[in-house]
Amino acid sequence: SVFEKLNKTSLSYFDNQKKGSLITMVVNESRSCYNVLKNILHLLIGLFRTLILFGVLLAISPNMTVVVIIISGIFLAETVMIARIIKRLSFIVVEKTRAMTVDADESLQGIKLVKLFNLYEKMKASFRRNCTVADFTSRKQLLIMQWQVVVANAFLILSVLSLIYLNITFSFIAISLMLTFLYALQKLNQSLTEVNKFYGFFNSEIPRLD
């Protein structure tokens, strides 16, 4: 659809556009539309599952569920903050990837001029600079996403230890119910981790549609 629309666009539109950017839009960024929709679906499923699990925890022990909600709220606040960082980094990746495509397109399309005026080193330096920034930023994004998994597990351990301590101190529920509660909590952690992961993917794809 994007390709067809471009071909039907007036010639005046192309006067203000770089061909490399348009190629990137058709080949790469159109796929991001699908990825965004897919991640939205995963997010909705994950949020629905999270609400159900919170309901199960609330039915078992309202008191301990309050503790879980507080810890989960801190985790989700941290997730939103990290998602903003990922989105900002993604803008850089998109910008530099477009610049790389423009460099490659202009260099190859104007190869005769590049050779005639000895512009090879200049074109190579520009391409290498954009490539380095895009690659480094992409690695940073992946590292932050992996760090979020570690954070999620840390919050789970903190929740379990806090709940065990509180139940021993105040005897909220019986041991059998406590085990059921911890099992539901572990499933809740998996659900929140999935929500966090797809929310990160969503924020990394959105800048490609800008």
Side-chain angles (χ1 to χ4, degrees):
S1 296
V2 174
F3 181 78
E4 184 179 352
K5 189 171 181 63
L6 272 178
N7 279 276
K8 292 180 178 179
T9 303
S10 63
L11 290 174
S12 59
Y13 172 78
F14 294 95
D15 292 337
N16 301 317
Q17 301 293 329
K18 292 190 174 181
K19 190 163 61 175
S21 271
L22 296 177
I23 292 171
T24 303
M25 180 177 67
V26 173
V27 177
N28 295 328
E29 295 169 14
S30 57
R31 292 176 181 169
S32 294
C33 294
Y34 166 74
N35 290 331
V36 166
L37 293 173
K38 182 178 69 174
N39 287 323
I40 287 175
L41 179 60
H42 283 300
L43 270 174
L44 291 175
I45 294 172
L47 288 172
F48 181 69
R49 189 187 302 121
T50 298
L51 289 174
I52 291 176
L53 288 168
F54 266 120
V56 171
L57 294 179
L58 195 61
I60 296 174
S61 174
N63 292 322
M64 292 200 297
T65 303
V66 171
V67 178
V68 174
I69 290 173
I70 293 172
I71 295 176
S72 298
I74 296 171
F75 174 67
L76 290 175
E78 188 263 353
T79 295
V80 171
M81 182 182 69
I82 291 297
R84 288 176 180 172
I85 296 174
I86 291 173
K87 190 174 182 179
R88 189 165 64 248
L89 293 175
S90 190
F91 272 113
I92 297 173
V93 174
V94 170
E95 179 189 349
K96 297 304 176 182
T97 301
R98 287 174 180 170
M100 283 168 55
T101 310
V102 170
D103 286 342
D105 178 70
E106 289 181 348
S107 179
L108 295 174
Q109 289 292 327
I111 190 66
K112 292 182 180 179
L113 292 176
V114 170
K115 290 181 178 294
L116 180 63
F117 293 102
N118 196 24
L119 298 174
Y120 172 72
E121 290 299 328
K122 182 180 179 181
M123 299 299 294
K124 183 179 76 171
S126 177
F127 185 86
R128 177 173 289 179
R129 183 171 58 252
N130 290 321
C131 182
T132 301
V133 174
D135 183 59
F136 177 76
T137 309
S138 293
R139 290 175 187 273
K140 191 186 292 186
Q141 275 185 305
L142 290 174
L143 192 62
I144 291 173
M145 289 181 183
Q146 290 171 355
W147 166 252
Q148 279 298 89
V149 176
V150 176
V151 172
N153 290 327
F155 271 100
L156 176 63
I157 294 171
L158 176 64
S159 299
V160 170
L161 293 177
S162 300
L163 292 171
I164 291 175
Y165 172 77
L166 289 172
N167 197 50
I168 290 174
T169 304
F170 299 104
S171 300
F172 288 131
I173 53 177
I175 296 297
S176 57
L177 280 177
M178 183 65 187
L179 293 175
T180 304
F181 189 92
L182 292 178
Y183 176 76
L185 178 62
Q186 191 247 343
K187 292 296 182 184
L188 175 64
N189 179 70
Q190 290 178 358
S191 183
L192 286 175
T193 302
E194 283 188 9
V195 168
N196 174 60
K197 180 178 72 173
F198 289 116
Y199 188 58
F201 288 154
F202 175 80
N203 279 278
S204 68
E205 293 289 346
I206 280 292
R208 301 178 190 276
L209 307 182
D210 185 36

